[in-house]
């Protein structure tokens, strides 16, 4: 169902119109001028971050497994370097980028765990040592914890990872229906384990949709992490 969801033209149109969130602007601004540096947008969708990154001087490259999403990206940004490719098999050379993005909960859409690990290892491969990965995710304890438990129990032994969840209804932005969309809501300890296993060091996070600050960090449901490649 996840792949089918992203093949819908209405989803591509919705993703193309999403804003650059406050946390993304905060961390991207902290990276400074992107001239003579490469940013790879993995699971780029319709390329919502493309104009912002290119305006900051980055050489922008995009990959998404959905041909519909890449078609929409190229409709809006016809001269962008964008390819149909899975995040676990990217076409770029080892150590060829300074920045990678798994933006707007891309990692949570990748299931099961083995595929998430394969994607993170491939992202690490294309990053230079010291390169930065920005990834967003929901905070597990703030996102339907009872439903996560019920889904895990209903999945039976080996049938679901803890943190798997099926989303239903309409999104809060754009009115797109997400009935029966499977996601994996990531936990903090789980992320730290994956980072170490795939050659990254977590160095901080900010709320995705609000400026950084003590109260917004406490209340944030969605966060943006900064990892560095070892």
């Amino acid at each position: 169902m996840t792949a089918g969801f992203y093949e819908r033209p209405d989803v591509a149109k919705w993703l193309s119109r999403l804003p650059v969130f406050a946390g993304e602007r905060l961390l991207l601004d902290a990276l400074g001028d992107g001239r003579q540096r490469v940013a790879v947008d993995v699971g780029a969708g319709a390329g919502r971050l493309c104009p912002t990154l290119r305006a900051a001087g980055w050489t922008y490259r995009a990959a998404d497994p959905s041909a519909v999403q890449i078609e929409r990206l190229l409709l809006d940004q016809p001269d962008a370097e964008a390819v149909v490719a899975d995040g676990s098999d990217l076409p770029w050379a080892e150590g060829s980028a300074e920045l990678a993005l798994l933006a707007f909960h891309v990692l949570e859409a990748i299931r099961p765990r083995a595929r998430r690990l394969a994607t993170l290892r491939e992202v690490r491969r294309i990053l230079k040592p010291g390169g930065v990965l920005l990834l967003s995710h929901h905070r597990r304890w703030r996102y339907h914890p009872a439903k996560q438990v019920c889904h895990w129990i209903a999945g039976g032994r080996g049938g679901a990872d803890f943190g798997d969840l099926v989303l239903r209804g309409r999104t809060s932005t754009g009115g797109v229906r997400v009935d029966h969309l499977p996601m994996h809501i990531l936990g903090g300890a789980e992320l730290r384990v994956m980072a170490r296993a795939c050659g990254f060091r977590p160095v901080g996070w900010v709320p995705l949709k609000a400026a950084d600050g003590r109260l917004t960090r406490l209340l944030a449901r969605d966060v943006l992490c900064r990892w560095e490649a070892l």
Side-chain angles (χ1 to χ4, degrees):
M1 174 59 193
T2 305
F5 175 77
Y6 291 106
E7 291 293 338
R8 287 166 38 189
D10 64 321
V11 172
K13 184 177 180 180
W14 164 60
L15 290 174
S16 73
R17 295 181 176 180
L18 283 175
V20 179
F21 296 107
E24 291 172 329
R25 290 195 179 277
L26 188 68
L27 292 190
L28 288 173
D29 287 349
L31 293 173
D33 193 332
R35 280 178 291 185
Q36 299 184 0
R37 293 193 287 172
V38 174
V40 177
D41 196 356
V42 181
R48 118 193 120 82
L49 293 175
C50 179
T52 297
L53 287 164
R54 295 176 80 178
W58 293 91
T59 297
Y60 178 83
R61 295 172 179 168
D64 196 280
S66 166
V68 171
Q69 297 291 338
I70 293 297
E71 182 180 351
R72 180 73 201 199
L73 189 160
L74 292 173
L75 179 66
D76 295 334
Q77 306 286 333
D79 60 340
E81 183 180 345
V83 297
V84 178
D86 189 85
S88 63
D89 187 19
L90 299 171
W92 298 293
E94 180 177 342
S96 59
E98 287 81 11
L99 173 65
L101 304 109
L102 288 163
F104 203 57
H105 315 311
V106 165
L107 195 61
E108 293 180 321
I110 300 172
R111 301 163 57 253
R113 182 175 185 272
R115 287 192 64 219
R116 289 192 291 277
L117 289 170
T119 298
L120 287 171
R121 289 182 178 125
E122 181 69 348
V123 170
R124 173 62 190 88
R125 183 188 68 80
I126 66 168
L127 279 174
K128 295 178 180 178
V132 172
L133 167 63
L134 301 182
L135 65 93
S136 65
H137 67 93
H138 298 98
R139 296 174 81 180
R140 180 177 285 173
W141 68 275
R142 292 215 60 204
Y143 207 84
H144 305 310
K147 290 182 181 179
Q148 292 177 47
V149 172
C150 291
H151 185 78
W152 181 54
I153 293 172
R157 183 176 297 177
D161 293 328
F162 184 77
D164 284 1
L165 187 66
V166 176
L167 304 183
R168 293 184 172 88
R170 295 183 181 275
T171 64
S172 59
T173 55
V176 173
R177 294 206 67 87
V178 294
D179 287 342
H180 308 294
L181 176 67
M183 297 286 286
H184 178 77
I185 310 303
L186 293 154
E190 178 182 17
L191 280 162
R192 290 190 292 273
V193 169
M194 288 196 299
R196 288 194 298 269
C198 298
F200 289 99
R201 177 174 66 97
V203 294
W205 62 272
V206 298
L208 178 64
K209 299 176 183 177
D212 198 11
R214 184 172 181 272
L215 182 60
T216 53
R217 285 175 70 92
L218 179 66
L219 298 178
R221 191 183 74 167
D222 312 87
V223 302
L224 181 68
C225 297
R226 173 174 171 156
W227 293 2
E228 290 184 358
L230 299 173

